[in-house]
Amino acid sequence: MSAPCQSYVLGLDLGTNSVKAVLVESKSRILVNTQTRDTLASAPSQDGEQAREQDVSRIVSALHQCLAALPGNRLHKVVRVGISGQMHGVVLWAAKAGCSWQASADGLTFLPEQVSQLVTWQDGRCNSEFLASLARPDSHILPSTGFGCATLFWYLRNRPGFLKPYSAAGTIHDYVVAMLCGLEKPLMSPHNAASWGYYNTKSGSWNLQILGDAGFPTWLLPTVVEPGTVAGQTCSEWCGVPQGTDVGVAFGDFQAAVYSCMKEKTDAVLNISTSAQLTFAPAPGFEPPAQPNPGAAVAYVPYFDGTHLAVAAALNGGNVLSTFVRTVTQWMQELGVDAPAEPIIYSHLIDAARDLPHTDLTIQPTLLGERHLPGQLASVLNISPTNLSLAHLTRALCRGVVENIHSMLPCRQLVEAGVRRILGSGSALLRNEVLRQEVEKAFPLPIQYEQETDSAFGAALAMMGKQ
C-alpha cells in the first residue's frame, strides 16, 4: 500500500513589525517550516504626530515574501489556512475593488487597491477628552485610543469625507481573509470584534442601536462569526496554495499565541514581545462583568468555545527596550561616534546587565502610558553617581517592564486563581536573559519558556481543531 499523502496547514501572523508564515504537518501537528519578514510599513499620517499608521501594500508584500520562501512542494499540499494579526487596528477598503490579482514568479499574488492605510493599535489620536465624549458601550470593554470603533468615530467627527470611498472595514488580517476568499462583506471573529469596542461578547453582537444613534457608519462593521469558522475558500491559486483551499476567519494574535502553548487550565502565559501580556483562563462558567471598569488593569477577552481569558495587557514591553536602544544609538551619533547596528548594541546592553544582579536605580517604563492609566508616563528614580552605567540602566529598565505587568496582575492573584505554572513566550523575553531573570524574581512559580510559541503556529493549530 502506498503511504498517505502528507498535507499541511498554513499559519500566518500579520504583526506590528513583521509577518510570519509557518507550515504545520496536518497529522503530526509538527511545525516543519517557518519564514519571517519585517514589514517596514510605518507610514506618515496627515492626522498629527500621535497618529500611527502603516502601509498595507508593504504588509502584503512582506506576506508574499514569506510565502515565496516556503517550499513550493509543500504549499501545493496546503489544505487549510489560519490567519492571525495585530488586533484593535482598522483598515478600510472598497468592497469590490480592494485588490487586483497578478502573476509573479512565485504564482498569483494580490495587490492592494482602493485601501486606506492601517491605523494601528498604537494610534494615539483619540485623547481622553475625545473618548469621554463617546457614547457608553453595552460591553464590559471600554473603547480606547487605537480601537477600531474609536478611530472610525474620530474620522466621522474630524474628517468625514475620508470614509466616503470605502464600503468595508476590518483589521489587517480580516482584510487579507476577505481578499483571499473574494468576500464582498468581511467576516470577523469575536477576538477582533471585542478589540474594536462596542461589541457585547455575551450576546455576540455589535451595539448597533447605540452606534446608530451616534451616527456611526454601522454598514462598515463586519459580520461576526465564531473563531475556527471557515470564512471561505481561496478564490485563486495563491503563491502555490491551491485554489479552493479553506481559509478561516481571522484570529486575534494574542488568542492564537495563547492557543499555541497553553496546555493545562492551570497554566498562565506571559508574553513579552512588542507589548506585554499576562493571561490565565478563569474557572469554567465565568462571565465578565456587565459594565466596564475604567480603572481595572485586568480585562476579559473572548477566547474559544465561548470562554474568556483574563489578561493584563501592557502597552509597554519590548517596545520600551527598543526605544532605549534607539536612544543609545542616537546619543552615539550626536557625539560623532560610529554606532554599531542596533542588534549589536542590544546584545552588549544585555551582556552588561547580566553581570549586574541588582541595581537600586528604579525606572517606571510606561512611555506609552497604560489603558487603565493613560496619563502615567515614564520616570527614573533613585539616581546616584554610582548607578548611571548602561548596565544599571538596562537592568532597571528590564525590571521595570516586568514590575509593570506584575503590578497589573500580581502573582498572588494568579495563585488564588489556581495557576500552578507560567509559560514564558515572546521574542523580547526569549532573547533577553535579563528579562527572564527579573521574571523569575517577580513570579515565584515554576516557569517554562516556550520556544515555538507564536501566533502563526497557534493560528494553524486552531484551524486544525482540538486533538
Side-chain angles (χ1 to χ4, degrees), residues 186-191 193-194 199 204-206 221-227 249:
L187 300 179
M188 179 181 268
S189 72
H191 299 170
Y199 178 80
S205 60
W206 296 106
L221 295 172
T223 300
V224 180
V225 298
E226 286 302 304
V249 65

Side-chain angles (χ1 to χ4, degrees), residues 12-21 36-42 54-55 58-60 62-63 83-87 118 120-122 172-173 253-254 273-274 455-456:
L12 306 172
D13 179 55
L14 311 181
T16 306
N17 300 308
S18 63
V19 170
K20 187 168 188 177
T36 305
R37 294 292 185 276
D38 291 337
T39 57
L40 306 174
S42 293
Q54 293 185 348
D55 185 328
R58 292 184 182 179
I59 297 171
V60 172
L63 172 61
I83 303 178
S84 69
Q86 50 175 307
M87 296 188 293
L118 167 66
T120 78
W121 62 274
Q122 296 175 312
I172 182 62
H173 33 310
D253 56 354
F254 170 69
S273 297
T274 303
S455 301

Side-chain angles (χ1 to χ4, degrees), residues 124-134 143 145 374-375:
R125 74 188 68 200
C126 299
N127 59 28
S128 56
E129 182 180 355
F130 177 84
L131 293 169
S133 74
L134 298 180
T145 188

Side-chain angles (χ1 to χ4, degrees), residues 98-449:
C99 76
S100 62
W101 286 84
Q102 58 184 14
S104 73
D106 303 302
L108 288 176
T109 59
F110 66 90
L111 182 69
E113 292 184 353
Q114 298 188 43
V115 178
S116 74
Q117 293 190 156
L118 167 66
V119 181
T120 78
W121 62 274
Q122 296 175 312
D123 190 79
R125 74 188 68 200
C126 299
N127 59 28
S128 56
E129 182 180 355
F130 177 84
L131 293 169
S133 74
L134 298 180
R136 190 173 183 84
D138 176 22
S139 168
H140 69 280
I141 299 174
L142 277 176
S144 179
T145 188
F147 282 27
C149 283
T151 300
L152 291 172
F153 264 127
W154 188 93
Y155 278 120
L156 183 68
R157 293 187 185 181
N158 294 279
R159 291 178 58 200
F162 172 83
L163 301 174
K164 289 183 179 179
Y166 306 115
S167 53
T171 65
I172 182 62
H173 33 310
D174 295 323
Y175 166 77
V176 169
V177 170
M179 297 306 102
L180 291 180
C181 300
L183 302 179
E184 184 171 340
K185 186 172 181 61
L187 300 179
M188 179 181 268
S189 72
H191 299 170
N192 296 309
S195 82
W196 266 25
Y198 291 95
Y199 178 80
N200 187 299
T201 60
K202 188 171 184 178
S203 66
S205 60
W206 296 106
N207 298 171
L208 292 177
Q209 185 67 50
I210 295 171
L211 291 170
D213 290 346
F216 185 92
T218 55
W219 60 87
L220 290 174
L221 295 172
T223 300
V224 180
V225 298
E226 286 302 304
T229 300
V230 173
Q233 289 72 40
T234 49
C235 59
S236 167
E237 175 271 328
W238 179 48
C239 294
V241 176
Q243 182 178 1
T245 301
D246 286 347
V247 180
V249 65
F251 306 107
D253 56 354
F254 170 69
Q255 288 89 339
V258 172
Y259 193 89
S260 74
C261 69
M262 186 181 276
K263 302 173 180 66
E264 305 290 342
K265 293 180 180 178
T266 54
D267 288 339
V269 177
L270 172 62
N271 177 79
I272 305 180
S273 297
T274 303
S275 53
Q277 303 88 25
L278 177 59
T279 187
F280 68 92
F286 169 84
E287 290 287 347
Q291 297 298 320
N293 179 357
V298 175
Y300 301 97
V301 299
Y303 192 43
F304 291 91
D305 302 319
T307 64
H308 288 77
L309 293 172
V311 56
L315 298 176
N316 301 275
N319 47 8
V320 175
L321 297 167
S322 296
T323 299
F324 179 51
V325 172
R326 287 197 300 271
T327 302
V328 172
T329 303
Q330 183 178 344
W331 286 343
M332 295 178 72
Q333 292 169 345
E334 289 173 357
L335 291 170
V337 177
D338 290 335
E342 289 186 2
I344 295 175
I345 292 178
Y346 191 36
S347 178
H348 284 313
L349 293 174
I350 294 170
D351 288 344
R354 185 177 55 234
D355 297 331
L356 180 75
H358 176 74
T359 180
D360 56 355
L361 189 68
T362 299
I363 297 180
Q364 175 66 47
T366 46
L367 288 173
L368 303 176
E370 292 295 355
R371 290 192 178 102
H372 65 293
L373 292 171
Q376 178 178 279
L377 298 180
S379 61
V380 183
L381 301 174
N382 298 330
I383 299 173
S384 73
T386 59
N387 64 13
L388 282 174
S389 70
L390 288 175
H392 280 274
L393 286 165
T394 304
R395 170 65 68 176
L397 191 57
C398 289
R399 186 179 66 201
V401 168
V402 173
E403 287 184 346
N404 181 55
I405 193 77
H406 183 271
S407 72
M408 297 170 67
L409 183 50
C411 189
R412 169 184 50 81
Q413 282 185 240
L414 296 178
V415 173
E416 290 172 355
V419 171
R420 297 178 184 173
R421 177 179 64 170
I422 294 176
L423 304 176
S425 67
S427 56
L429 183 60
L430 295 180
R431 70 184 289 200
N432 187 330
E433 184 179 343
V434 180
L435 264 184
R436 296 196 298 274
Q437 290 172 354
E438 294 299 329
V439 166
E440 289 159 18
K441 292 176 188 175
F443 296 94
L445 283 169
I447 298 175
Q448 178 177 317
Y449 297 103

